[in-house]
Amino acid sequence: MAADHAIAAEGLRKRYGDTGGRAALDGFGMTVPFGTVHGLLGPNGAGKTTAVRALATLLRYDAGHAEICGFDVARQPGEVRARIGLTGQYAAVDEQLSGRQNLVMFGTLYGLGRRRARQRADELLAQFGLTDAAGRGAGKYSGGMRRRLDLAASLVRVPRVLFLDEPTTGLDPRSRNQVWDAVRSLVATGTTVLLTTQYLEEADQLADRISVIDAGRVVAEGTADELKARLGGARVEVVVRDAADLPRVADLLARAAGPGGRPEVDRDARRASVPVADHVAALTEVVRALHDAGVTVEDIGTRRPTLDEAFLHLTGHRTQERTDAAGDGAVLAGKGRAA
């Protein structure tokens, strides 16, 4: 294992139940450099949460090897826990305590001392926009406020490595942006973040690199741009008024794309598109050809592949905005914060 990586895992395997149970991890591996955000992206049931729980010492993997900050996860769990923080999919705050009391409690448990714990609580309340609600019982917080309080609790003691398991699920856009800003600030101070998410925009915004996991193994890895590039470069896309024109438009697009260009046609959307090497030249040619052919167009333009399309291409699944009851959700019992 490389000592210069905050997270290093190789060949992790985990099977639930008897020998006939499903393999939640099936040779999972990844390396994450210090001071970066690494996205872990995958469909429901792909093994994201199991991977996080295994790396955070919350469950034992059956085979393989993993290190956090150079410490063996299986043999040195105490050393690992002293260097990590974990925010799970569900808030772990005490709803009977106020927001400030929750944070002071966590600070005291982390050994900050009463005075420093209060100072740290006030810093985090301000950072997450919760100062006005600091004295209110957490049980009276909105879902977004509880989520922000839970994230703040994970940062009471600034960890070397922070695991964020779908941290912005259920948050409104403003709250989500606040979480993103907090993550960026944390990484700027040297903390490494492993982020699992089903929001493609979140991975695009935050992650330096992304691992795509499916069926318990990493099927692709790279920057967001590198993953998108697997689908080719830009595409010329045409939406016609009459779906009967789509075959002619597809032929025009194929000629503009050159050898190997294979147009895709969506008859329901009355849309045809094709990947091209030079999007400006191809768009100019297509506009001229459509005009000469007398095809009535409702929209035409170029666009780059999205991370969602890359994800679909790599896994055969579309991402889902909400976690369903199946898959990783079945192993969340007892999930909390590691420290």
Side-chain angles (χ1 to χ4, degrees), residues 138-192:
K140 297 180 181 179
Y141 281 16
S142 67
M145 292 171 68
R146 283 197 299 272
R147 192 62 177 147
R148 283 148 55 198
L149 181 62
D150 192 46
L151 286 164
S154 297
L155 304 180
V156 167
R157 184 204 60 193
V158 180
R160 294 286 305 279
V161 176
L162 178 62
F163 296 98
L164 296 180
D165 194 8
E166 302 194 21
T168 61
T169 297
L171 296 189
D172 58 67
R174 180 182 178 185
S175 297
R176 188 176 300 168
N177 284 331
Q178 288 176 326
V179 171
W180 290 356
D181 287 342
V183 171
R184 293 186 184 105
S185 298
L186 195 64
V187 174
T189 66
T191 294
T192 303

Side-chain angles (χ1 to χ4, degrees), residues 107-130:
T108 303
L109 291 173
Y110 289 145
L112 295 185
R114 191 75 179 174
R115 181 177 179 182
R116 177 55 185 150
R118 287 196 295 265
Q119 290 176 338
R120 184 60 177 150
D122 287 339
E123 292 169 0
L124 289 165
L125 289 165
Q127 182 178 354
F128 284 89
L130 294 170

